[in-house]
Amino acid sequence: MIFTVAIDGPAAAGKGTISKAVAAHFGFGHLDTGVLYRAVGAKGGDPIAAARTLEPEDLNRADLRTLDAGQAASRVAAIPEVRAALVAFQRDFARREGGAVLDGRDIGTVICPNADVKLFVTATAEVRANRRHAELGGDYDLVLREVIERDMRDAGRADAPMRVADDAIVLDTSDLSIEEAVEQAIRVVAARKA
Ligand code: DC
């Protein structure tokens, strides 16, 4: 069975948690595509060469979740050749036997425009900055500035900008608990799968 769930949205909206829970619930594979861009940014040197030679062990680096790694990822993600080098891997994963959940920015629009389910998970910048701050600490105002800066870069780039696919369902998690958000996402997927 091939069944693809595309989950897009801005940083810290809850995509990762929701994607993992949906994958676990239905027994699907899960690919956090942000990790690919984080790994390219973290490798340093020429980002195009880094994307073309990305190895599985690059995805296991311990320093990929920091704010700096997120900013570096967002910068290299604006380079069309970097994005092009990562397309085939993501599309292959989406068509893996047994079902797949991919989360990112352009899954429903560019990587898997024919996905069986598309969700766009979002929340206000302040709520997302609060969540990032609770997770990583540091200065709240700086975290908020970085969230807004990254949103603008990811949505403003020319190649595969972050946007809501025409046929995506928007899930705003600003006023939802993790459990409520996961439950709503599972309900949407279950309805399409039936
Ligand atoms: O989801 P994340 O915060 O780990 O993503 C890090 C950066 O990678 C994000 O700011 C933009 C980029 N990205 C992208 O351009 N396309 C994707 N499908 C996933 C992430």
Side-chain angles (χ1 to χ4, degrees):
M1 182 226 23
I2 290 169
F3 190 91
T4 308
V5 181
I7 302 187
D8 291 305
K15 295 190 303 293
T17 308
I18 291 172
S19 301
K20 278 195 210 87
V22 167
H25 182 86
F26 293 99
F28 297 165
H30 170 230
L31 179 64
D32 169 1
T33 65
V35 168
L36 304 175
Y37 297 92
R38 285 173 182 266
V40 170
K43 262 187 129 174
D46 173 17
I48 299 172
R52 289 179 179 157
T53 57
L54 208 58
E55 306 272 0
E57 57 265 29
D58 294 329
L59 309 181
N60 295 325
R61 293 172 60 127
D63 57 354
L64 296 183
R65 301 262 36 116
T66 64
L67 286 179
D68 283 351
Q71 290 291 357
S74 173
R75 281 193 289 273
V76 299
I79 303 170
E81 292 86 347
V82 166
R83 306 198 69 82
L86 302 174
V87 167
F89 176 76
Q90 296 175 81
R91 288 197 178 140
D92 284 349
F93 191 93
R95 295 191 58 76
R96 81 209 299 264
E97 188 50 45
V101 179
L102 286 82
D103 74 85
R105 302 290 187 291
D106 64 337
I107 307 304
T109 50
V110 173
I111 302 296
C112 304
N114 298 319
D116 297 280
V117 183
K118 297 181 187 179
L119 279 172
F120 192 89
V121 178
T122 190
T124 64
E126 289 74 18
V127 165
R128 292 185 287 119
N130 262 320
R131 290 177 186 161
R132 254 309 123 82
H133 184 246
E135 187 189 331
L136 298 174
D139 172 21
Y140 172 78
D141 290 334
L142 178 67
V143 175
L144 178 61
R145 260 204 316 279
E146 295 218 329
V147 160
I148 293 170
E149 191 188 320
R150 198 134 74 88
D151 285 356
M152 288 190 346
R153 195 186 299 110
D154 293 344
R157 67 184 175 223
D159 189 21
M162 171 175 71
R163 68 171 184 81
V164 184
D166 294 338
D167 49 352
I169 292 169
V170 177
L171 181 56
D172 188 328
T173 67
S174 303
D175 298 318
L176 299 180
S177 67
I178 296 283
E179 293 76 19
E180 288 166 334
V182 165
E183 194 187 312
Q184 291 199 15
I186 288 176
R187 210 176 310 133
V188 170
V189 176
R192 295 289 168 90
K193 212 170 152 273

